[in-house]
Amino acid sequence: MERWVVLIDRGAGNHQDVDEVAHFECTREEARARLYEIACTHRPGVGLRQKRRQVYRVGDGDAYYVSIEGALSTSRVVYRLGALAWSTHPESWPWAWK
């Protein structure tokens, strides 16, 4: 089992924003399934009224490009899966992988 994080990349103009959406511990196959579920259901903005969502797999399934058309605007984001590669004290992190 590995430790995973789902990241969301959003950009507007020259500003780029990356946030953590979820943390979990599981196999790579299970992590990819959770990433896909998050890409299909996560709401990247407060008050976003989704009218239409298109989800595109990028590469081998560790990332998804998502275009969400709302009532007033369209959001374009990328959801990425990251595996923990190294840490000094992983068990002392605030979210503690439970």
Side-chain angles (χ1 to χ4, degrees):
M1 294 252 217
E2 290 185 85
R3 295 179 179 181
W4 302 93
V5 62
V6 173
L7 303 169
I8 182 173
D9 297 338
R10 341 169 223 236
N14 291 331
H15 179 73
Q16 188 69 23
D17 188 28
V18 178
D19 286 318
E20 298 175 357
V21 175
H23 302 96
F24 43 88
E25 189 172 335
C26 59
T27 66
R28 179 177 214 73
E29 186 175 293
E30 292 167 331
R32 284 181 170 173
R34 290 207 41 198
L35 172 66
Y36 176 71
E37 179 184 335
I38 290 169
C40 290
T41 61
H42 181 259
R43 295 177 72 172
V46 176
L48 178 64
R49 290 186 186 159
Q50 176 179 302
K51 288 183 154 184
R52 179 177 164 183
R53 178 182 290 238
Q54 294 178 304
V55 178
Y56 298 89
R57 186 180 63 243
V58 177
D60 62 357
D62 286 346
Y64 288 91
Y65 166 75
V66 181
S67 176
I68 306 165
E69 293 179 27
L72 302 174
S73 65
T74 299
S75 293
R76 294 175 181 91
V77 297
V78 176
Y79 291 90
R80 297 183 189 279
L81 185 61
L84 179 65
W86 182 85
S87 176
T88 56
H89 300 289
E91 299 306 320
S92 65
W93 294 346
W95 25 284
W97 299 102
K98 293 184 181 179

